[in-house]
Amino acid sequence: MQYSNGFFIQFIRLAGPFWNSENKIAIRRQTLVLVVLTILQMAIAVVITEWSAALFNALEQHSMSGLLTQIMLLIVIFAASIGVTVTHLKIKRRLQVDWRNWLTERVIGQWMYKAHHYQVTHIQTANHDNPDGRIAEDIRIATEDAITLCHSLFYSLLALLSFTAILWQLSGKVIIDLGLLQIPLYGHLVWIAIIYAVIASFLGWRIGKPLINATDVRQTTEANFRFNLVTARENSLAIATIHGEEDERGRLFSLFEDIIDAFNRQTQAMSNIMMFTSGYSVLSMAFPVLVSAPRYILGSMTLGALMQSVQAFQQTISALSWPVDNMSTVAQWRASVERVLSLINALDDLEKELSLADPNRIVLEKGEDSILRFQNVCIARLDSIVCASSINGEIRAGERVLIAGNTFTGAKLFKAIVGLWPWGSGRIELPDDEPMFFMPPRPYLPADTLRTAICYPSTDKTVSEDALEQALELVGLHELIEQLDQIDFWDKALPREQQQRLGMVRLLLRRPKWILLQEAFDSLDPDGEDEMFRLICQELPDAALLTVTNQPTAAKFHHRQIIL
């Protein structure tokens, strides 16, 4: 899916299919109910103005029976307003979370398809950084705010139609006497409301624009400060060992001073807009009364009509002010939609690039025997610069091969074997066997119980307690047996050496026939690395082993070398 048209067309193509998805009947029913409830909300608002007119007319006439009638009507209006408002809120939020759920599943499904989440970080395309924030926050804003804005716009249009008609009727005809010429003016309250709303909206936009900019600056400075605090926490050991506390303190204080400056700018902008809004609220309350008061004093309208015209005037102004009132929300919504679209575009570009019959792609295919074959394999960077070329050869089952030379190129060769790096040329024929087990420099340990983290991505129920404890004993991590049911962020709680040993535990539990080690023991001392290699040879003697490492002692555990 490519997005080359206007913004709203792009958004409709991205999120619009939600109304035609599997649950389209329920979704369309909810949407229809939401529209009906919005119309009922407007009907209640109109009824309230009629009720207000009848109430003040009864007060003006000193009618007790009229007052009691209005009290009874108020109870009905009160119950109806509560029922419609609460039902509307529930339906709207149900629709918002369903839309967000649908779009989140769609984007995550595309992002997590095969290795796209990794490969997309390497392509040169539109801005698509921080996919986690785009999925977690921007999709929420894109869907929730879209429904909120559509509802408020629809409500404002209904209000504009309804209350403009009421205001036009209450305005009557005013004669402008110019001496020799008398000009009849119809609907003067409507024209005054339009002029008033246009002037107020323009002033509100001019005064509120600096607040939007100041808020953006403050959010940026706050994010930078949080990021550097997290970075300092994650690198606390390195900072402590080189006594960098003084520099870190100064740098963090400097970042916090940026927050103070942004806060002061925001305060000044808020002060300006508060001056406007406070004065505007007072004037909006009094202005329609003052405009209609002369006709009431002259006896051409009742007190009830006066109060009804005031309410209709205020509702009309509110409807006309929708663009300015929602300017910042629309800007935030559009920015979030564009961030989601950028991520989708990047994933689409990646999928299109990988699907094309391009000679500059490494071809992966399953062979008919237990042999890993390289046929004129060329490893290239994204900018087409060749890292290694003319890689040919065979690796048989049970053979242990050391990939020597450039570890950077060796890592890319491993990624090509497991399908993560298609950039280059040639053919890799995979053994027709179970999938290869790839051990990166640091294993992924999800935040869960230690038992679940070790068994990832399998479930811990498939591994016996004895096998797990025995594997921990073999790799020298017997002290972690007592923590197997403890929940923690293990990538932060454990030193890198223990994390790499846990990678070895995972290998012993999985017992694969093909193993790819990419500097998987580089945090261990030479004796520790020798211990791990001996353990592989002892426990998995029939497994094929391909190793990328710079440790000189590793060569003795391999049958031969391939030098890149």
Side-chain angles (χ1 to χ4, degrees):
M1 181 187 298
Q2 291 296 317
Y3 303 94
S4 56
N5 298 313
F7 167 77
F8 287 102
I9 295 178
Q10 296 178 31
F11 177 68
I12 290 172
R13 287 181 177 176
L14 169 69
F18 167 68
W19 273 264
N20 200 35
S21 58
E22 295 179 356
N23 298 324
K24 60 183 179 182
I25 296 177
I27 293 168
R28 292 174 182 177
R29 185 186 301 118
Q30 289 179 350
T31 305
L32 180 60
V33 171
L34 195 64
V35 170
V36 172
L37 289 172
T38 304
I39 295 174
L40 289 177
Q41 284 181 321
M42 179 49 54
I44 290 173
V46 172
V47 169
I48 288 175
T49 63
E50 299 287 347
W51 174 86
S52 176
L55 173 66
F56 281 98
N57 284 335
L59 294 176
E60 186 179 32
Q61 298 166 7
H62 303 283
S63 172
M64 182 60 69
S65 61
L67 177 62
L68 293 176
T69 300
Q70 298 310 311
I71 291 175
M72 297 300 295
L73 289 175
L74 178 61
I75 295 174
V76 176
I77 295 172
F78 175 79
S81 178
I82 291 178
V84 169
T85 302
V86 172
T87 305
H88 182 277
L89 175 66
K90 291 181 178 180
I91 295 295
K92 184 179 77 171
R93 289 181 66 84
R94 180 74 261 168
L95 197 60
Q96 286 175 325
V97 74
D98 286 347
W99 195 7
R100 180 187 178 186
N101 176 59
W102 175 86
L103 186 55
T104 300
E105 286 185 356
R106 179 180 177 184
V107 176
I108 288 180
Q110 191 174 0
W111 183 51
M112 279 292 171
Y113 178 70
K114 294 184 177 178
H116 286 180
H117 58 93
Y118 171 80
Q119 294 168 332
V120 74
T121 61
H122 294 86
I123 66 172
Q124 303 297 322
T125 184
N127 181 27
H128 56 271
D129 59 338
N130 301 320
D132 52 329
R134 295 169 191 259
I135 294 173
E137 186 66 12
D138 289 314
I139 287 181
R140 180 188 67 80
I141 295 174
T143 52
E144 291 185 6
D145 284 8
I147 292 178
T148 300
L149 287 169
C150 286
H151 164 254
S152 64
L153 178 60
F154 181 52
Y155 184 89
S156 295
L157 292 175
L158 292 176
L160 192 60
L161 293 174
S162 302
F163 289 102
T164 298
I166 294 174
L167 202 58
W168 187 278
Q169 181 182 359
L170 292 173
S171 297
K173 182 176 70 172
V174 175
I175 303 297
I176 301 176
D177 192 352
L178 300 178
L180 298 177
L181 181 65
Q182 291 184 336
I183 302 175
L185 178 63
Y186 296 91
H188 69 283
L189 291 178
V190 175
W191 302 116
I192 293 174
I194 293 174
I195 295 172
Y196 182 88
V198 169
I199 295 174
S201 297
F202 176 75
L203 292 176
W205 174 74
R206 289 295 301 271
I207 296 173
K209 191 173 182 180
L211 178 60
I212 297 175
N213 297 332
T215 301
D216 289 342
V217 172
R218 183 182 177 189
Q219 289 176 342
T220 300
T221 56
E222 294 278 7
N224 291 338
F225 184 61
R226 287 195 302 270
F227 176 79
N228 280 271
L229 286 173
V230 172
T231 302
R233 174 175 59 84
E234 291 179 344
N235 295 275
S236 60
L237 177 60
I239 294 172
T241 53
I242 61 175
H243 306 292
E245 289 84 359
E246 190 64 31
D247 289 340
E248 285 299 307
R249 187 184 298 114
R251 189 168 60 84
L252 293 174
F253 283 161
S254 177
L255 290 170
F256 191 75
E257 288 176 358
D258 293 339
I259 293 179
I260 299 299
D261 292 339
F263 183 86
N264 291 334
R265 285 181 57 188
Q266 188 183 40
T267 300
Q268 183 59 47
M270 291 177 67
S271 299
N272 294 336
I273 200 169
M274 284 296 292
M275 290 174 58
F276 171 76
T277 54
S278 59
Y280 178 75
S281 62
V282 174
L283 188 60
S284 296
M285 176 184 64
F287 184 75
V289 177
L290 298 176
V291 169
S292 301
R295 296 185 65 216
Y296 172 72
I297 294 174
L298 294 174
S300 59
M301 68 187 312
T302 64
L303 178 61
L306 171 65
M307 301 310 298
Q308 186 180 14
S309 66
V310 169
Q311 293 179 348
F313 190 93
Q314 292 172 337
Q315 291 277 9
T316 302
I317 291 174
S318 176
L320 291 170
S321 301
W322 185 90
V324 174
D325 293 341
N326 292 276
M327 179 176 58
S328 60
T329 304
V330 170
Q332 174 182 267
W333 170 75
R334 175 160 184 159
S336 292
V337 171
E338 288 177 343
R339 284 172 57 80
V340 176
L341 287 171
S342 295
L343 176 59
I344 295 295
N345 281 337
L347 292 169
D348 287 341
D349 291 343
L350 173 65
E351 191 169 347
K352 181 179 179 181
E353 181 179 343
L354 296 179
S355 63
L356 294 177
D358 191 338
N360 296 320
R361 292 290 177 271
I362 298 173
V363 178
L364 284 179
E365 62 181 12
K366 280 286 187 179
E368 297 179 355
D369 48 24
S370 296
I371 299 177
L372 175 63
R373 292 186 176 90
F374 302 104
Q375 300 177 9
N376 295 319
V377 174
C378 171
I379 305 294
R381 299 191 324 194
L382 292 174
D383 54 9
S384 300
I385 294 178
V386 175
C387 301
S389 61
S390 300
I391 302 176
N392 292 281
E394 295 182 352
I395 300 175
R396 298 181 177 275
E399 193 174 8
R400 297 193 292 272
V401 179
L402 178 64
I403 309 298
N406 191 319
T407 57
F408 175 80
T409 305
K412 281 192 166 34
L413 177 62
F414 275 12
K415 292 173 184 176
I417 294 173
V418 296
L420 299 181
W421 195 266
W423 295 281
S425 62
R427 184 180 301 273
I428 299 178
E429 187 175 308
L430 302 175
D432 187 17
D433 209 325
E434 61 183 75
M436 296 187 171
F437 188 85
F438 179 48
M439 289 184 64
R442 178 179 292 186
Y444 172 58
L445 300 172
D448 207 317
T449 63
L450 182 57
R451 184 192 311 276
T452 301
I454 294 173
C455 298
Y456 179 88
S458 303
T459 61
D460 51 6
K461 296 180 181 179
T462 60
V463 178
S464 68
E465 185 78 13
D466 291 341
L468 182 55
E469 292 183 3
Q470 182 181 2
L472 287 169
E473 291 280 359
L474 287 173
V475 302
L477 293 177
H478 60 277
E479 70 274 8
L480 295 182
I481 294 177
E482 297 180 354
Q483 303 181 43
L484 285 174
D485 296 315
Q486 181 179 329
I487 298 176
D488 206 337
F489 293 91
W490 300 107
D491 58 336
K492 303 291 190 301
L494 299 176
R496 180 162 174 155
E497 177 186 350
Q498 286 189 334
Q499 292 184 43
Q500 291 190 335
R501 289 180 182 268
L502 285 179
M504 185 64 192
V505 172
R506 187 177 289 170
L507 175 64
L508 294 177
L509 294 175
R510 295 284 293 274
R511 307 189 69 82
K513 294 183 179 180
W514 290 83
I515 307 169
L516 307 179
L517 296 184
Q518 180 198 338
E519 300 181 283
F521 308 126
D522 61 349
S523 293
L524 279 62
D525 57 29
D527 292 339
E529 186 174 30
D530 287 357
E531 178 187 356
M532 294 300 104
F533 277 117
R534 288 195 187 94
L535 196 56
I536 293 175
C537 297
Q538 173 186 335
E539 297 293 325
L540 304 170
D542 298 327
L545 176 64
L546 284 74
T547 305
V548 171
T549 181
N550 280 325
Q551 295 291 345
T553 58
K556 61 186 177 183
F557 297 99
H558 297 79
H559 300 141
R560 59 188 176 92
Q561 296 186 15
I562 295 178
I563 300 178
L564 300 179

